[in-house]
């Protein structure tokens, strides 16, 4: 466990110090642009929290994320992306593509039949029940080909469709299945 903690601390230390070293002209750098300051790479300074010596017990084994939270932090920071193409529904015409990258939903080549109150939803299907349980991303312009929406804290992995819905008529105009 102590080696894992040292590795986790080393990764965290590297992750925190590399951007600072890359932005600074202070101190020597190696060919890869990394700091060669003795304090950064000194293996003899293997102390963890509370000054505990992390260099002992080299045969320790176990799960790196045990108590460290490293895997959770890394997966949360990983960019998620998905996309799909719209098809019209209920005798309505909707066309174009949708892509979601890094918390932004982008419509490209988008067009839709005009409706009095069109909104875009993240859903798990393309029926009214799915829309009522979905996340309303806001009003969508039927005649604007390129549009961008923030998805906020919605977890895109939890949704299978993006739906164009007329809230006033309570009718799905079109949907794109996310892949």
């Amino acid at each position: 466990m102590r080696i894992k903690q040292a590795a986790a601390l080393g990764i965290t230390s590297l992750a925190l110090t590399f951007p600072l070293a890359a932005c600074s002209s202070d101190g020597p750098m190696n060919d890869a642009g990394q700091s060669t300051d003795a304090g950064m790479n000194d293996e003899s300074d293997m102390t963890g929290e509370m000054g505990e010596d992390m260099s002992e017990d080299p045969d320790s084994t176990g799960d790196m994320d045990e108590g460290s939270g490293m895997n959770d932090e890394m997966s949360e920071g990983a960019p998620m992306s998905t996309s799909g193409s719209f098809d019209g529904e209920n005798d309505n015409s909707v066309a174009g593509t949708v892509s979601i990258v890094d918390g932004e939903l982008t419509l490209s080549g988008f067009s839709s039949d005009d409706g009095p109150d069109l909104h875009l939803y993240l859903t798990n299907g393309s029926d009214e029940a799915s829309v009522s349980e979905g996340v309303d991303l806001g009003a969508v312009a039927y005649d604007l080909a390129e549009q961008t929406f923030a998805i906020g804290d919605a977890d895109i992995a939890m949704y299978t469709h993006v739906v164009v819905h007329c809230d006033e008529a309570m009718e799905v105009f079109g949907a794109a299945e996310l892949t």
Side-chain angles (χ1 to χ4, degrees):
M1 181 64 187
R2 291 178 188 223
I3 288 178
K4 285 183 248 165
Q5 287 174 337
L9 289 171
I11 290 170
T12 302
S13 176
L14 179 61
L16 293 174
T17 58
F18 181 75
L20 295 174
C23 294
S24 172
S25 61
D26 298 335
M29 305 289 261
N30 65 16
D31 292 338
Q34 297 170 323
S35 173
T36 58
D37 287 345
M40 296 284 208
N41 298 321
D42 187 3
E43 293 180 22
S44 66
D45 186 20
M46 296 289 288
T47 57
E49 294 178 26
M50 309 296 280
E52 179 179 301
D53 183 4
M54 304 298 288
S55 62
E56 62 186 57
D57 197 12
D59 295 325
S60 176
T61 60
D63 195 11
M64 180 165 175
D65 68 352
E66 180 181 306
S68 73
M70 288 297 290
N71 287 349
D72 293 342
E73 292 174 32
M74 292 173 73
S75 64
E76 287 176 14
M80 298 257 334
S81 65
T82 186
S83 62
S85 296
F86 283 103
D87 290 315
E89 294 192 14
N90 301 313
D91 296 322
N92 293 295
S93 176
V94 177
T97 60
V98 58
S99 63
I100 302 174
V101 178
D102 294 334
E104 271 193 351
L105 183 147
T106 302
L107 302 178
S108 299
F110 180 78
S111 66
S112 171
D113 285 346
D114 191 5
D117 191 23
L118 295 180
H119 281 246
L120 206 60
Y121 286 83
L122 285 173
T123 67
N124 283 314
S126 61
D127 57 5
E128 284 300 314
S130 298
V131 171
S132 68
E133 294 174 5
V135 175
D136 184 351
L137 298 177
V140 61
Y142 75 96
D143 59 350
L144 187 58
E146 307 298 317
Q147 300 178 57
T148 302
F149 299 81
I151 62 167
D153 61 355
D155 181 0
I156 63 170
M158 301 295 294
Y159 299 98
T160 60
H161 289 77
V162 173
V163 173
V164 177
H165 185 261
C166 180
D167 287 356
E168 186 175 310
M170 293 183 63
E171 182 175 309
V172 173
F173 272 41
E177 186 172 0
L178 299 172
T179 57

